[in-house]
């Protein structure tokens, strides 16, 4: 219906812009739930992720042409290991929900390794979004609100 009422490029651009203004973003407001990674990283720290030098590598590029990418990722892993004190780290998974799940799996395995597998309670605030209790449930944890 809406597209039949628009008869010029200018009208279409105005309509698209009006839709854009309805979207909630960090440039307009605080985002209380979801998009955790995006809320906690400043735009300036994410800028390099948009550089063509970073985004333009072909997924099937030969190993001889990916040395810089590998060094970038390996140095990030070393920094994370030094910050956390872990023996190793993984840069996967990359999403918040999958990362949350992976983190809870690590916690569960740690408690099992030290003989404290009965420590299985995950305290979650009522304001949490759905992935929090879902991840805890998938890790066979007891959820406390």
């Amino acid at each position: 219906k809406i597209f039949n009422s628009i008869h010029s490029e200018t009208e279409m651009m105005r309509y698209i812009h009006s839709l854009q203004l309805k979207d909630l973003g960090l440039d307009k407001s605080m985002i209380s739930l979801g998009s955790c990674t995006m809320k906690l990283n400043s735009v300036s720290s994410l800028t390099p992720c948009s550089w063509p030098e970073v985004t333009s590598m072909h997924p099937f590029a030969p190993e001889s042409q990916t040395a810089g990418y590998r060094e970038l990722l390996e140095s990030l892993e070393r920094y994370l290991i030094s910050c956390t004190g872990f023996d190793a780290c993984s840069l996967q998974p990359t999403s918040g929900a999958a990362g949350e799940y992976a983190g809870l799996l690590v916690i569960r395995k740690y408690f099992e390794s030290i003989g404290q597998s009965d420590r299985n309670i995950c305290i979650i605030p009522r304001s949490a979004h759905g992935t929090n209790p879902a991840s805890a449930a998938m890790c066979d944890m007891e959820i406390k609100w």
Side-chain angles (χ1 to χ4, degrees):
K1 180 179 176 181
I2 186 72
F3 293 104
N4 292 330
S5 67
I6 296 174
H7 302 290
S8 72
E9 182 179 352
T10 302
E11 287 178 64
M12 177 59 80
M13 292 306 297
R14 287 181 178 151
Y15 173 70
I16 291 172
H17 184 71
S18 73
L19 292 178
Q20 176 187 342
L21 293 176
K22 293 178 181 182
D23 191 17
L24 181 63
L26 287 175
D27 59 336
K28 306 263 187 301
S29 171
M30 281 297 297
I31 301 174
S32 58
L33 297 174
S35 307
C36 299
T37 305
M38 293 182 70
K39 310 194 272 216
L40 299 176
N41 290 314
S42 65
V43 171
S44 62
S45 68
L46 293 173
T47 298
C49 297
S50 67
W51 293 344
E53 298 88 343
V54 175
T55 62
S56 297
M57 182 182 80
H58 191 279
F60 298 117
E63 193 171 321
S64 62
Q65 296 177 13
T66 62
Y69 291 96
R70 287 194 317 275
E71 175 54 34
L72 177 76
L73 297 173
E74 289 165 2
S75 67
L76 175 58
E77 286 177 337
R78 288 191 301 272
Y79 290 139
L80 291 172
I81 289 168
S82 71
C83 291
T84 62
F86 287 170
D87 294 328
C89 82
S90 172
L91 300 178
Q92 293 294 325
T94 56
S95 77
E100 165 188 286
Y101 175 64
L104 287 172
L105 285 175
V106 168
I107 292 167
R108 291 288 289 150
K109 289 295 180 185
Y110 170 75
F111 283 134
E112 287 174 15
S113 76
I114 62 170
Q116 296 183 17
S117 57
D118 59 319
R119 294 182 68 179
N120 66 340
I121 296 174
C122 188
I123 301 171
I124 300 174
R126 291 238 177 246
S127 61
H129 48 85
T131 62
N132 300 140
S135 294
M138 288 169 45
C139 290
D140 199 29
M141 299 181 91
E142 183 182 339
I143 299 163
K144 295 283 186 180
W145 297 99

